[in-house]
Amino acid sequence: EPEVTQTPSHQVTQMGQEVILRCVPISNHLYFYWYRQILGQKVEFLVSFYNNEISEKSEIFDDQFSVERPDGSNFTLKIRSTKLEDSAMYFCASSALTSSYEQYFGPGTRLTVT
Amino acid sequence: AQSVTQLGSHVSVSEGALVLLRCNYSSSVPPYLFWYVQYPNQGLQLLLKYTSAATLVKGINGFEAEFKKSETSFHLTKPSAHMSDAAEYFCAVSGDGNKLVFGAGTILRVKS
């Protein structure tokens, strides 16, 4: 069964460093998303991406964040200068054109900023 | 705007007993509603979805949920709990664009 994959599973970085979280969505999906879950809090929407551009973003997704689909398979989230409060589990999700509301999630990347 | 409230951050049931996890939503547009399950150290797995067809929705692993517009509820049930059902369950709503708005989650514990 096709699934969303994410790498790395755990990333530790120092405050102020740049990180790139990688995702490989399900191959025939055209909508891509990033969510995050700070420990003990709700899963929060960050951004959605379709047709090579951001279709929606939350107020969390400020100028420190960017997303890219560098090739036909990867979808990345870059945090330009990490802060302590960026420590969270980051989930990538994807959905198909015909059922765009039905999102399939990856296993997540746990980001720890020290 | 959409929001979700899950009543009970922790629910404990005995093996074989009924599972009832509560979810109430708020939406300014007709909603799509979802239940996801998260096992320890794993991602979010879609259990079931409501997309304005049948109000009683059946999902994987014997779970089902009923959409009740008058009560703005989408509670998750399973007639007989199994040890393998122990996990965290999230209710989510979508309706204004594709983004999902999640509830805070309910941790289900199953006692032997």
PDB file of all heavy atoms in Angstrom, chain A residues 3-7 22-26 92 105-107:
ATOM      1  N   GLU A   3       2.423   4.833   0.751  1.00  0.00           N
ATOM      2  CA  GLU A   3       2.431   5.596   1.989  1.00  0.00           C
ATOM      3  C   GLU A   3       3.322   6.811   1.842  1.00  0.00           C
ATOM      4  O   GLU A   3       4.195   6.882   0.968  1.00  0.00           O
ATOM      5  CB  GLU A   3       2.903   4.728   3.153  1.00  0.00           C
ATOM      6  CG  GLU A   3       4.289   4.135   2.965  1.00  0.00           C
ATOM      7  CD  GLU A   3       4.699   3.221   4.112  1.00  0.00           C
ATOM      8  OE1 GLU A   3       3.821   2.778   4.864  1.00  0.00           O
ATOM      9  OE2 GLU A   3       5.905   2.945   4.245  1.00  0.00           O
ATOM     10  N   VAL A   4       3.096   7.759   2.727  1.00  0.00           N
ATOM     11  CA  VAL A   4       3.923   8.955   2.792  1.00  0.00           C
ATOM     12  C   VAL A   4       5.134   8.637   3.659  1.00  0.00           C
ATOM     13  O   VAL A   4       4.979   8.040   4.733  1.00  0.00           O
ATOM     14  CB  VAL A   4       3.129  10.126   3.407  1.00  0.00           C
ATOM     15  CG1 VAL A   4       4.008  11.351   3.554  1.00  0.00           C
ATOM     16  CG2 VAL A   4       1.893  10.429   2.568  1.00  0.00           C
ATOM     17  N   THR A   5       6.307   9.001   3.196  1.00  0.00           N
ATOM     18  CA  THR A   5       7.512   8.769   3.995  1.00  0.00           C
ATOM     19  C   THR A   5       8.162  10.106   4.340  1.00  0.00           C
ATOM     20  O   THR A   5       8.008  11.094   3.602  1.00  0.00           O
ATOM     21  CB  THR A   5       8.520   7.867   3.267  1.00  0.00           C
ATOM     22  OG1 THR A   5       8.894   8.488   2.026  1.00  0.00           O
ATOM     23  CG2 THR A   5       7.914   6.507   2.971  1.00  0.00           C
ATOM     24  N   GLN A   6       8.854  10.117   5.468  1.00  0.00           N
ATOM     25  CA  GLN A   6       9.522  11.344   5.921  1.00  0.00           C
ATOM     26  C   GLN A   6      10.917  11.006   6.442  1.00  0.00           C
ATOM     27  O   GLN A   6      11.120   9.969   7.068  1.00  0.00           O
ATOM     28  CB  GLN A   6       8.721  12.010   7.058  1.00  0.00           C
ATOM     29  CG  GLN A   6       7.404  12.596   6.618  1.00  0.00           C
ATOM     30  CD  GLN A   6       6.712  13.341   7.738  1.00  0.00           C
ATOM     31  OE1 GLN A   6       5.616  12.963   8.145  1.00  0.00           O
ATOM     32  NE2 GLN A   6       7.339  14.405   8.233  1.00  0.00           N
ATOM     33  N   THR A   7      11.845  11.900   6.149  1.00  0.00           N
ATOM     34  CA  THR A   7      13.199  11.769   6.678  1.00  0.00           C
ATOM     35  C   THR A   7      13.724  13.121   7.126  1.00  0.00           C
ATOM     36  O   THR A   7      13.357  14.159   6.545  1.00  0.00           O
ATOM     37  CB  THR A   7      14.158  11.201   5.606  1.00  0.00           C
ATOM     38  OG1 THR A   7      14.085  12.021   4.435  1.00  0.00           O
ATOM     39  CG2 THR A   7      13.837   9.767   5.282  1.00  0.00           C
ATOM     40  N   ARG A  22      12.259  16.491   5.060  1.00  0.00           N
ATOM     41  CA  ARG A  22      11.925  15.947   3.744  1.00  0.00           C
ATOM     42  C   ARG A  22      10.761  14.980   3.802  1.00  0.00           C
ATOM     43  O   ARG A  22      10.594  14.241   4.774  1.00  0.00           O
ATOM     44  CB  ARG A  22      13.149  15.254   3.139  1.00  0.00           C
ATOM     45  CG  ARG A  22      14.349  16.175   3.011  1.00  0.00           C
ATOM     46  CD  ARG A  22      15.560  15.513   2.405  1.00  0.00           C
ATOM     47  NE  ARG A  22      16.728  16.376   2.544  1.00  0.00           N
ATOM     48  CZ  ARG A  22      17.004  17.406   1.750  1.00  0.00           C
ATOM     49  NH1 ARG A  22      16.194  17.681   0.736  1.00  0.00           N
ATOM     50  NH2 ARG A  22      18.074  18.147   1.946  1.00  0.00           N
ATOM     51  N   CYS A  23      10.008  14.983   2.740  1.00  0.00           N
ATOM     52  CA  CYS A  23       8.813  14.151   2.640  1.00  0.00           C
ATOM     53  C   CYS A  23       8.721  13.617   1.215  1.00  0.00           C
ATOM     54  O   CYS A  23       9.022  14.340   0.257  1.00  0.00           O
ATOM     55  CB  CYS A  23       7.590  15.005   2.982  1.00  0.00           C
ATOM     56  SG  CYS A  23       5.989  14.278   2.601  1.00  0.00           S
ATOM     57  N   VAL A  24       8.303  12.370   1.099  1.00  0.00           N
ATOM     58  CA  VAL A  24       7.950  11.830  -0.207  1.00  0.00           C
ATOM     59  C   VAL A  24       6.468  11.484  -0.148  1.00  0.00           C
ATOM     60  O   VAL A  24       6.068  10.519   0.511  1.00  0.00           O
ATOM     61  CB  VAL A  24       8.778  10.587  -0.577  1.00  0.00           C
ATOM     62  CG1 VAL A  24       8.329  10.043  -1.931  1.00  0.00           C
ATOM     63  CG2 VAL A  24      10.260  10.924  -0.602  1.00  0.00           C
ATOM     64  N   PRO A  25       5.618  12.301  -0.781  1.00  0.00           N
ATOM     65  CA  PRO A  25       4.177  12.031  -0.755  1.00  0.00           C
ATOM     66  C   PRO A  25       3.823  10.790  -1.576  1.00  0.00           C
ATOM     67  O   PRO A  25       4.657  10.239  -2.298  1.00  0.00           O
ATOM     68  CB  PRO A  25       3.584  13.284  -1.416  1.00  0.00           C
ATOM     69  CG  PRO A  25       4.672  14.308  -1.376  1.00  0.00           C
ATOM     70  CD  PRO A  25       5.950  13.537  -1.461  1.00  0.00           C
ATOM     71  N   ILE A  26       2.584  10.357  -1.474  1.00  0.00           N
ATOM     72  CA  ILE A  26       2.094   9.262  -2.291  1.00  0.00           C
ATOM     73  C   ILE A  26       2.146   9.700  -3.753  1.00  0.00           C
ATOM     74  O   ILE A  26       1.782  10.841  -4.084  1.00  0.00           O
ATOM     75  CB  ILE A  26       0.674   8.854  -1.857  1.00  0.00           C
ATOM     76  CG1 ILE A  26       0.751   8.262  -0.443  1.00  0.00           C
ATOM     77  CG2 ILE A  26       0.038   7.880  -2.832  1.00  0.00           C
ATOM     78  CD1 ILE A  26      -0.587   7.967   0.201  1.00  0.00           C
ATOM     79  N   CYS A  92       4.098  15.464   7.475  1.00  0.00           N
ATOM     80  CA  CYS A  92       3.770  15.737   6.085  1.00  0.00           C
ATOM     81  C   CYS A  92       2.523  14.927   5.725  1.00  0.00           C
ATOM     82  O   CYS A  92       2.312  13.828   6.264  1.00  0.00           O
ATOM     83  CB  CYS A  92       4.944  15.309   5.203  1.00  0.00           C
ATOM     84  SG  CYS A  92       4.661  15.423   3.440  1.00  0.00           S
ATOM     85  N   PHE A 105      -1.071  10.785   6.107  1.00  0.00           N
ATOM     86  CA  PHE A 105       0.038  11.356   6.847  1.00  0.00           C
ATOM     87  C   PHE A 105       1.260  10.443   6.862  1.00  0.00           C
ATOM     88  O   PHE A 105       1.138   9.211   6.883  1.00  0.00           O
ATOM     89  CB  PHE A 105      -0.382  11.616   8.299  1.00  0.00           C
ATOM     90  CG  PHE A 105      -1.239  12.837   8.456  1.00  0.00           C
ATOM     91  CD1 PHE A 105      -2.577  12.818   8.086  1.00  0.00           C
ATOM     92  CD2 PHE A 105      -0.720  14.011   8.968  1.00  0.00           C
ATOM     93  CE1 PHE A 105      -3.372  13.950   8.212  1.00  0.00           C
ATOM     94  CE2 PHE A 105      -1.502  15.141   9.108  1.00  0.00           C
ATOM     95  CZ  PHE A 105      -2.827  15.111   8.729  1.00  0.00           C
ATOM     96  N   GLY A 106       2.408  11.076   6.910  1.00  0.00           N
ATOM     97  CA  GLY A 106       3.648  10.361   7.133  1.00  0.00           C
ATOM     98  C   GLY A 106       3.869  10.120   8.625  1.00  0.00           C
ATOM     99  O   GLY A 106       3.100  10.595   9.455  1.00  0.00           O
ATOM    100  N   PRO A 107       4.957   9.419   8.963  1.00  0.00           N
ATOM    101  CA  PRO A 107       5.227   9.069  10.366  1.00  0.00           C
ATOM    102  C   PRO A 107       5.768  10.225  11.199  1.00  0.00           C
ATOM    103  O   PRO A 107       5.836  10.111  12.423  1.00  0.00           O
ATOM    104  CB  PRO A 107       6.274   7.956  10.251  1.00  0.00           C
ATOM    105  CG  PRO A 107       6.957   8.231   8.959  1.00  0.00           C
ATOM    106  CD  PRO A 107       5.925   8.804   8.044  1.00  0.00           C
TER     107      PRO A 107
END
